[in-house]
């Protein structure tokens, strides 16, 4: 997993304004298996934790394989900035 310059800049700003300093990827049970969730949250005991471009990232082992080759990026659309996972293919039924 990588972070683009835009993703790093956006996350740095968001994390500065938050009490939680970890970007966490986790699994959510769905009808077709485990779906990907993401948010600022404390790492859980089973998570793999790494620093990517200075950003602390925690990954639930249930979703680790889904994040291989993904780049965390930020894009602006209609005046709103949000995270985009480049190279991510969501699971579907």
């Amino acid at each position: 997993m990588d972070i683009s310059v835009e993703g790093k800049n956006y996350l740095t700003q968001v994390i500065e304004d938050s009490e939680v300093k970890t970007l966490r990827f986790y699994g959510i049970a769905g009808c077709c298996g485990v779906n990907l969730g993401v948010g600022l949250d404390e790492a859980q005991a089973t998570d793999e934790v790494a620093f990517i471009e200075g950003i602390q990232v925690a990954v639930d082992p249930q979703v680790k394989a889904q994040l291989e080759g993904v780049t965390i990026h930020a894009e602006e659309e209609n005046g709103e900035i949000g995270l985009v996972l480049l190279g991510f293919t969501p699971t579907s039924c």
Side-chain angles (χ1 to χ4, degrees):
M1 184 178 345
D2 293 313
I3 298 179
S4 70
V5 171
E6 296 85 357
K8 178 182 176 181
N9 292 340
Y10 173 72
L11 285 170
T12 299
Q13 289 178 339
V14 171
I15 288 171
E16 281 180 6
D17 296 335
S18 175
E19 292 181 16
V20 180
K21 305 299 182 194
T22 304
L23 179 67
R24 183 170 186 261
F25 293 92
Y26 54 92
I28 301 171
C31 62
C32 298
V34 178
N35 294 313
L36 182 68
V38 63
L40 292 178
D41 196 6
E42 298 294 334
Q44 301 298 304
T46 57
D47 290 350
E48 289 187 24
V49 180
F51 282 89
I52 304 172
E53 296 293 325
I55 305 292
Q56 185 170 346
V57 179
V59 178
D60 179 336
Q62 294 183 82
V63 297
K64 181 180 177 183
Q66 294 180 40
L67 295 170
E68 289 182 17
V70 168
T71 298
I72 302 167
H73 184 64
E75 291 183 356
E76 183 176 346
E77 184 175 318
N78 300 324
E80 298 286 325
I81 298 176
L83 285 182
V84 177
L85 300 178
L86 302 176
F88 175 71
T89 305
T91 56
S92 62
C93 299

